[in-house]
Amino acid sequence: MLKSKTFLKKTRAGGVMKIVREHYLRDDIGCGAPGCMACGGAHEGPVLESQPQDPASSLCPWPHYLMPDTNVLLHQIDVLEDPAIRNVIVLQTVLQEVRNRSAPVYKRIRDVTNNQEKHFYTFTNEHHRETYVEQKQGENANDRNDRAIRVAAKWYNEHLKKMSAENQLQVIFITNDRKNKEKAVEEGIPAFTCEEYVKSLTANPELIDRLACLSEEGNEIESGKIIFSEHLPLSKLQQGIKSGTYLQGTFRASRENYLEATVWIHGDTEENKEILLQGLKHLNRAIHEDIVAVELLSKSQWVAPSSVVLHDEGQNEDVEKEEERERMLKAAVNEKMLKPTGRVVGIIKRNWRPYCGMLSKSDIKESRRHLFTPADRRIPRIRIETRQASTLEGRRIIVAIDGWPRNSRYPNGHFVKNLGEVGEKETETEVLLLEHDVPHQPFSQAVLSFLPKMPWSITEKDMKNREDLRHLCVCSVDPPGCTDIDDALHCRELENGNLEVGVHIADVSHFIRPGNALDQESARRGTTVYLCEKRIDMVPELLSSNLCSLRCNVDRLAFSCIWEMNHSAEILKTRFTKSVINSRASLTYAEAQMKIDSATMNDAITTSLRRLNKLAKILKKGRIEKGALTLSSPEVRFHMDSETHDPIDLQTKELRETNSMVEEFMLLANISVAKKIHEEFSEHALLRKHPAPPPSNYEILVKAAKSKNLEIKTDTAKSLAESLDRAESPTFPYLNTLLRILATRCMMQAVYFCSGMDNDFHHYGLASPIYTHFTSPIRRYADIIVHRLLAVAIGADCTYPDLTDKHKLADICKNLNFRHKMAQYAQRASVAFHTQLFFKSKGIVSEEAYILFVRKNAIVVLIPKYGLEGTVFFEEKDRPKPRLIYDDEVPSLKIEDTVFHIFDKVKVKIMLDSSNLQHQKIRMSLIEPQIPGIGIPTDISNTDLDEPERKPLR
């Protein structure tokens, strides 16, 4: 049966276009009940159980299926995902509405419907002849959809009666809409609210905790004093943004101060790019990563970013105390320090996610209301109701936010999942992966189905458009224990006396074809994440550690970049080719270094390595002369106990000449490929740039150097590199490393971008006019796209539509930049956690440290031996406050009669503080210089589980 809808649409040119949409109605759509004779098994995919074995409900003790409406699906997805809830009919009407309103919930519901054990059935009611309803005149879309759901529920109940006379099967309609429920009951449909139904499942009381509390009025604190101003409706916000009264941006909460945040304004305007917010009322219930509308305050109300470190300690409901703390932030400051300041007037889009953390159990006996403290300090505490408080104490749990009423100090939420005991390695690893949004579920069957069948070997078809380079003396140099070997090198002398140098990269794009499930999953993951004891692969292990890995003594497919160079490392010719190689050796950096240094070794591999090393030194010298920066970042390596896998030693990483040798040729290959793909695809080359930092970023570095009578010039990368080289102190050899560490903190983040969407290609840190990533396709998706572009450029592979769509490429870049940033933070969090494990077994340790930053009430120090950073606080709870004088110009901090400057050497005591299970942390206290009443262990260090501070480990 065919229905058609006709409507008129105005075109851009002002004309009117008539559009006719055809809508097919069918009789052969199955109801999903296996025993149904009427449908004759016309079901596809997972089906309902013929006799539902669901937990007994006191409201409906007979066997039944559930049919939720759109709002139940959107807001109670945590309940529906619970193993106790099965046999649910998801209507097409509901699914379409969910898809339009929330992509994350839509994905979750698709995952549930694909799970055979859950018995969720998708019923295409919009195309079923008996359940399709047309919109009545004067009826809005929402009311029409509500009616369509009721019609489907009624049809199901009548349809199931036909299965057999004694069959008591019923469909229960679940809705939180009071009017919709009343209409359903009038029409003879069994209907309950989600809360009524869940509370009726007496065998599963824990399900009640997972209910989202939606009526804000009912969940506001009884004492109900209005704290926050009302959020303006979206229509007013959009008008205000259009007229310039309000600005739209992303809300970024501060990790160090819960009463402060910044809003990054969307758009190209340089003026007021970042707006500062201070105080609870100005933050106005915005949560980290929300898209908000802000009103700029008058210049007389502008404030400076606070140097006070302030964490929300204790179950503080006292708003007057908060206001007292806010006044403390507004100390007298230099006018130059004032930043554009504003207040949140409304929320454009909430970007809430499930949060990991711990329960702070209420002191009130038998209370069901408790506060949840997230692991991420940027997220406020969340009030939840739970009957399991005693069980959940001391465990990591997941909580979702439901809303934030105007008269509540904290948002309301509900319990989602218990992750496990706090401090356990598996639990904490799960927490840091979830908190940094690292996709880490096992690869699905759909993804694995696109892997090559084993045993695999190179075929004649594979050799098409490919050069056989198996005769070359190729070897790889990597960190110890590396199994995902992306790159290998060779160097040989040519008959004309010149040198041929080859960089051979794993040909991952041969195995991962555009658009299939394997490609989509790799694109979603974006990068491999290296934790201290675990690797979260971007591609399945069969590829990462076997078929793509350039292991020695096996034939492997590669993408080769080959140069002809003279002995002065000048490039005479460059060519690219798909190839087959057979690596002669897989070496570690130490093994390669040993070969180069050995007087007795002169085999082909050693000769090749020596030539490569010699050329690399010339290349590096040339790069540095052009202004490339050599920065520093303390990188640590853990030595693990072979049985317990706990860290038994912690050292900073040693870098050898061979590290630099490999790096130089990888950089050269990346630059050569960037030039080639940009020549060929000027509008849609995937490139990587490193923006020059704004001059204000360098203020701290210049001031710190000046305090040691050194001058750092920052007008160009070359002048910065040269002044860093000159900044030496014979009496203080570590000073230069400290300056380079501080210079690293001044840098901007390098990002991927599409050449057709940007004009500035320059890579500041490498002093290169163009750059991309080509050399690590096993662990970076960007490199796979670059391989595809290069393959098309040299005629080795065919193109596909998305490869030449700059908007699609820009979207890929956006996801890759996010995934890379999150991977970096997750790696740092993993280092922080393993550092805690190390000091847990080590006890109290005293070490020399250097001051990296001075704050109003603390100093941030770096301990070179461990590459560890932490904060020493000088204000203790319940102790007399010392006399503190902070000078931002120098910068310095005077405590009683002792003055601290950046780079001063101090001695600190390090220990693990487990007193607060919410955030176990490394605690640091000052030993030298001694200050009367100060050298007591302090309370907080920024080596927190969620603190991204140090460079990630490979």
Side-chain angles (χ1 to χ4, degrees):
M1 183 179 167
L2 184 68
K3 290 264 179 191
S4 64
K5 294 178 184 174
T6 308
F7 55 93
L8 302 174
K9 186 182 174 184
K10 195 175 181 181
T11 64
R12 277 186 180 176
V16 174
M17 190 193 295
K18 185 178 181 181
I19 294 175
V20 179
R21 289 241 171 98
E22 292 181 336
H23 191 88
Y24 290 88
L25 300 180
R26 296 163 54 170
D27 297 316
D28 59 349
I29 296 169
C31 69
C36 180
M37 300 306 290
C39 295
H43 321 298
E44 287 178 18
V47 292
L48 303 158
E49 287 177 297
S50 51
Q51 282 301 309
Q53 302 299 308
D54 290 331
S57 161
S58 54
L59 287 172
C60 34
W62 54 90
H64 57 271
Y65 301 138
L66 300 177
M67 184 183 285
D69 71 359
T70 308
N71 282 324
V72 169
L73 220 60
L74 277 169
H75 301 297
Q76 307 292 354
I77 182 70
D78 290 320
V79 171
L80 296 170
E81 282 178 332
D82 193 280
I85 302 292
R86 304 182 329 173
N87 292 296
V88 174
I89 298 161
V90 181
L91 297 180
Q92 181 191 2
T93 310
V94 170
L95 208 52
Q96 282 171 345
E97 272 198 279
V98 169
R99 189 179 191 171
N100 293 334
R101 285 167 63 182
S102 172
V105 174
Y106 178 73
K107 187 188 179 304
R108 285 168 72 180
I109 204 70
R110 294 304 302 179
D111 289 345
V112 176
T113 51
N114 290 333
N115 180 351
Q116 306 275 354
E117 291 169 13
K118 289 281 285 172
H119 298 286
F120 272 49
Y121 181 68
T122 309
F123 179 62
T124 323
N125 65 309
E126 294 290 352
H127 290 278
H128 193 290
R129 192 198 292 267
E130 293 179 49
T131 58
Y132 172 73
V133 299
E134 286 197 45
Q135 196 165 341
K136 292 177 180 174
Q137 207 171 354
E139 186 179 45
N140 64 32
N142 205 27
D143 290 344
R144 180 259 168 212
N145 287 348
D146 284 348
R147 188 162 57 86
I149 297 167
R150 293 197 303 275
V151 165
K154 195 168 186 179
W155 175 85
Y156 252 102
N157 279 324
E158 287 166 4
H159 180 80
L160 292 174
K161 278 178 191 167
K162 295 173 191 170
M163 276 172 64
S164 67
E166 60 277 5
N167 190 353
Q168 280 192 306
L169 255 179
Q170 269 199 329
V171 168
I172 308 288
F173 177 41
I174 305 292
T175 178
N176 288 333
D177 181 329
R178 190 168 45 84
K179 284 183 182 170
N180 204 9
K181 186 188 163 197
E182 283 168 7
K183 283 181 183 173
V185 173
E186 276 171 28
E187 291 167 21
I189 303 164
F192 303 105
T193 66
C194 192
E195 193 173 342
E196 286 169 345
Y197 181 76
V198 166
K199 284 182 175 174
S200 77
L201 303 176
T202 45
N204 298 80
E206 74 286 348
L207 260 181
I208 298 168
D209 288 354
R210 300 188 76 170
L211 279 169
C213 44
L214 294 174
S215 75
E216 287 199 344
E217 295 75 27
N219 288 291
E220 290 174 0
I221 313 164
E222 281 71 17
S223 58
K225 181 186 165 191
I226 300 290
I227 302 169
F228 300 102
S229 55
E230 199 170 349
H231 287 151
L232 297 178
L234 199 56
S235 55
K236 278 195 178 170
L237 297 179
Q238 284 164 339
Q239 282 170 9
I241 289 162
K242 210 172 180 181
S243 66
T245 314
Y246 307 135
L247 296 165
Q248 176 176 329
T250 305
F251 182 88
R252 301 266 164 85
S254 163
R255 254 194 188 87
E256 294 195 327
N257 187 339
Y258 74 101
L259 293 175
E260 194 167 274
T262 50
V263 173
W264 286 79
I265 300 305
H266 300 169
D268 303 324
T269 164
E270 276 308 305
E271 191 192 5
N272 302 335
K273 191 81 182 153
E274 198 183 347
I275 290 177
L276 185 65
L277 310 175
Q278 239 179 44
L280 273 183
K281 291 179 182 179
H282 285 174
L283 301 181
N284 197 4
R285 298 172 286 156
I287 289 169
H288 185 64
E289 292 295 337
D290 281 349
I291 308 295
V292 298
V294 288
E295 179 181 44
L296 201 58
L297 301 175
S298 63
K299 279 199 175 179
S300 60
Q301 292 175 278
W302 285 13
V303 294
S306 167
S307 299
V308 176
V309 180
L310 217 52
H311 291 148
D312 184 5
E313 302 292 345
Q315 300 200 7
N316 190 2
E317 298 282 343
D318 192 341
V319 178
E320 276 73 25
K321 274 190 183 173
E322 302 286 8
E323 286 168 1
E324 197 181 304
R325 284 184 139 189
E326 284 170 28
R327 283 193 289 277
M328 182 179 138
L329 303 182
K330 294 181 173 63
V333 284
N334 184 331
E335 223 173 273
K336 274 192 257 175
M337 302 295 292
L338 297 178
K339 290 267 163 71
T341 308
R343 67 183 188 96
V344 172
V345 290
I347 309 291
I348 291 161
K349 182 172 182 271
R350 287 289 194 191
N351 275 326
W352 297 340
R353 59 179 175 83
Y355 300 103
C356 300
M358 293 183 69
L359 197 68
S360 307
K361 199 171 167 221
S362 170
D363 296 335
I364 304 163
K365 212 178 173 189
E366 301 300 318
S367 173
R368 285 182 186 172
R369 279 190 173 175
H370 308 275
L371 277 182
F372 162 83
T373 305
D376 187 341
R377 287 201 181 276
R378 294 169 300 188
I379 307 299
R381 293 173 167 223
I382 301 162
R383 182 179 290 101
I384 67 166
E385 283 197 30
T386 176
R387 291 151 181 75
Q388 312 172 61
S390 305
T391 320
L392 298 177
E393 215 177 355
R395 298 182 81 80
R396 291 280 186 190
I397 62 172
I398 297 179
V399 160
I401 296 178
D402 300 324
W404 194 340
R406 286 175 62 198
N407 58 359
S408 170
R409 169 66 185 83
Y410 297 111
N412 293 326
H414 65 272
F415 167 76
V416 176
K417 190 180 180 184
N418 181 348
L419 291 173
E421 197 68 40
V422 68
E424 276 184 7
K425 216 178 287 184
E426 288 72 25
T427 306
E428 296 302 340
T429 302
E430 179 74 6
V431 166
L432 72 87
L433 290 171
L434 288 167
E435 276 300 290
H436 296 99
D437 198 7
V438 175
H440 59 286
Q441 296 75 21
F443 289 98
S444 69
Q445 277 310 119
V447 169
L448 298 174
S449 68
F450 285 96
L451 291 174
K453 303 291 175 274
M454 296 302 282
W456 174 85
S457 61
I458 296 169
T459 63
E460 266 185 53
K461 190 184 171 190
D462 295 334
M463 289 305 293
K464 196 183 168 204
N465 299 325
R466 207 176 275 280
E467 251 182 80
D468 192 339
L469 303 180
R470 284 176 282 200
H471 60 285
L472 294 176
C473 182
V474 173
C475 70
S476 63
V477 184
D478 287 283
C482 177
T483 59
D484 53 344
I485 304 170
D486 285 292
D487 52 85
L489 298 156
H490 90 270
C491 181
R492 63 172 179 168
E493 195 160 15
L494 298 171
E495 286 175 9
N496 62 7
N498 289 332
L499 296 170
E500 180 187 81
V501 176
V503 165
H504 310 278
I505 305 299
D507 189 4
V508 182
S509 63
H510 173 84
F511 296 96
I512 299 181
R513 302 311 294 164
N516 68 24
L518 177 56
D519 182 47
Q520 287 171 1
E521 182 61 19
S522 306
R524 186 174 80 92
R525 293 184 178 220
T527 179
T528 291
V529 181
Y530 295 90
L531 305 181
C532 291
E533 273 192 282
K534 194 176 184 179
R535 191 179 80 199
I536 314 294
D537 280 326
M538 179 184 84
V539 299
E541 197 178 9
L542 178 66
L543 296 183
S544 68
S545 297
N546 186 351
L547 301 185
C548 291
S549 185
L550 304 181
R551 303 189 305 190
C552 60
N553 304 319
V554 286
D555 292 349
R556 286 290 176 259
L557 302 179
F559 210 147
S560 301
C561 174
I562 299 167
W563 304 276
E564 186 179 327
M565 291 181 177
N566 61 23
H567 287 264
S568 305
E570 290 165 337
I571 298 169
L572 308 172
K573 279 184 198 163
T574 307
R575 68 187 185 91
F576 307 98
T577 179
K578 289 231 175 184
S579 60
V580 181
I581 63 164
N582 189 308
S583 173
R584 301 282 191 275
S586 298
L587 305 171
T588 64
Y589 291 119
E591 287 165 350
Q593 193 68 55
M594 202 171 68
K595 278 181 176 289
I596 291 168
D597 297 340
S598 168
T600 56
M601 290 181 128
N602 286 303
D603 57 282
I605 290 171
T606 306
T607 308
S608 177
L609 287 169
R610 283 187 187 133
R611 284 178 180 147
L612 287 165
N613 197 36
K614 190 181 164 196
L615 291 169
K617 285 177 180 175
I618 301 168
L619 289 168
K620 186 170 186 176
K621 188 168 178 275
R623 272 196 320 107
I624 287 167
E625 280 168 6
K626 282 183 188 169
L629 297 172
T630 311
L631 299 176
S632 183
S633 189
E635 217 175 324
V636 294
R637 168 160 242 113
F638 291 95
H639 294 272
M640 302 291 187
D641 184 296
S642 56
E643 285 179 19
T644 64
H645 295 285
D646 285 338
I648 48 176
D649 197 10
L650 172 60
Q651 297 168 338
T652 46
K653 262 189 175 181
E654 186 188 343
L655 294 176
R656 297 178 173 82
E657 266 186 9
T658 43
N659 291 74
S660 180
M661 176 189 83
V662 173
E663 185 187 9
E664 284 308 315
F665 287 108
M666 296 307 118
L667 292 175
L668 191 62
N670 287 334
I671 291 167
S672 299
V673 170
K675 287 175 184 168
K676 179 69 179 173
I677 62 172
H678 185 247
E679 268 170 33
E680 205 69 31
F681 306 105
S682 60
E683 284 291 293
H684 40 257
L686 190 152
L687 302 174
R688 187 163 175 83
K689 68 171 180 175
H690 181 214
S696 59
N697 278 30
Y698 287 125
E699 277 175 16
I700 187 74
L701 176 67
V702 173
K703 284 179 184 176
K706 197 177 170 187
S707 73
K708 296 294 176 207
N709 300 316
L710 294 168
E711 187 186 13
I712 297 285
K713 291 186 174 174
T714 61
D715 44 337
T716 66
K718 189 170 170 60
S719 60
L720 173 64
E722 285 171 353
S723 53
L724 281 171
D725 287 341
R726 285 194 302 270
E728 297 281 356
S729 168
T731 56
F732 187 0
Y734 196 64
L735 176 65
N736 191 264
T737 307
L738 287 169
L739 281 165
R740 289 181 195 275
I741 289 168
L742 208 50
T744 308
R745 305 292 168 86
C746 301
M747 293 298 137
M748 305 290 282
Q749 190 84 34
V751 289
Y752 296 110
F753 69 102
C754 170
S755 59
M757 309 288 274
D758 211 318
N759 320 320
D760 176 24
F761 293 7
H762 191 74
H763 197 294
Y764 180 80
L766 297 172
S768 175
I770 193 165
Y771 191 66
T772 193
H773 272 163
F774 163 76
T775 54
S776 297
I778 296 177
R779 60 188 181 93
R780 291 188 306 230
Y781 187 75
D783 303 51
I784 293 178
I785 296 284
V786 169
H787 276 227
R788 288 173 182 168
L789 288 164
L790 184 62
V792 175
I794 64 167
D797 205 343
C798 49
T799 185
Y800 59 99
D802 285 5
L803 194 64
T804 52
D805 182 333
K806 64 183 182 184
H807 297 286
K808 290 253 170 76
L809 214 52
D811 287 342
I812 288 172
C813 290
K814 190 179 174 185
N815 178 55
L816 292 179
N817 291 330
F818 171 72
R819 291 291 180 211
H820 276 260
K821 187 170 70 175
M822 287 297 123
Q824 221 175 14
Y825 289 175
Q827 286 156 356
R828 292 171 187 174
S830 178
V831 170
F833 174 61
H834 281 78
T835 306
Q836 290 177 9
L837 289 180
F838 171 70
F839 283 105
K840 191 175 184 177
S841 58
K842 195 97 171 146
I844 298 173
V845 177
S846 299
E847 284 298 339
E848 284 184 346
Y850 294 98
I851 297 175
L852 271 187
F853 303 101
V854 290
R855 303 277 188 242
K856 273 187 182 171
N857 59 345
I859 55 173
V860 179
V861 298
L862 174 76
I863 297 153
K865 183 178 175 182
Y866 299 125
L868 177 67
E869 205 175 298
T871 308
V872 178
F873 281 79
F874 296 115
E875 287 182 336
E876 295 284 336
K877 239 188 265 178
D878 311 321
R879 289 192 179 276
K881 283 188 179 180
R883 196 170 73 250
L884 301 176
I885 301 167
Y886 173 71
D887 183 348
D888 182 64
E889 283 304 306
V890 178
S892 68
L893 179 65
K894 187 176 182 182
I895 302 150
E896 299 297 340
D897 298 317
T898 308
V899 182
F900 291 96
H901 295 93
I902 292 183
F903 303 149
D904 282 359
K905 194 177 190 177
V906 293
K907 198 168 187 185
V908 294
K909 187 156 71 174
I910 315 159
M911 61 182 282
L912 181 71
D913 174 14
S914 303
S915 61
N916 176 356
L917 277 177
Q918 306 287 2
H919 292 93
Q920 290 194 38
K921 57 190 82 75
I922 303 296
R923 203 162 68 150
M924 293 193 186
S925 57
L926 194 68
I927 299 176
E928 286 173 21
Q930 286 185 342
I931 301 169
I934 289 291
I936 304 117
T938 55
D939 191 39
I940 292 167
S941 153
N942 73 347
T943 316
D944 223 333
L945 274 190
D946 52 289
E947 195 72 354
E949 275 306 333
R950 280 181 305 283
K951 193 178 170 187
L953 298 169
R954 164 111 194 238

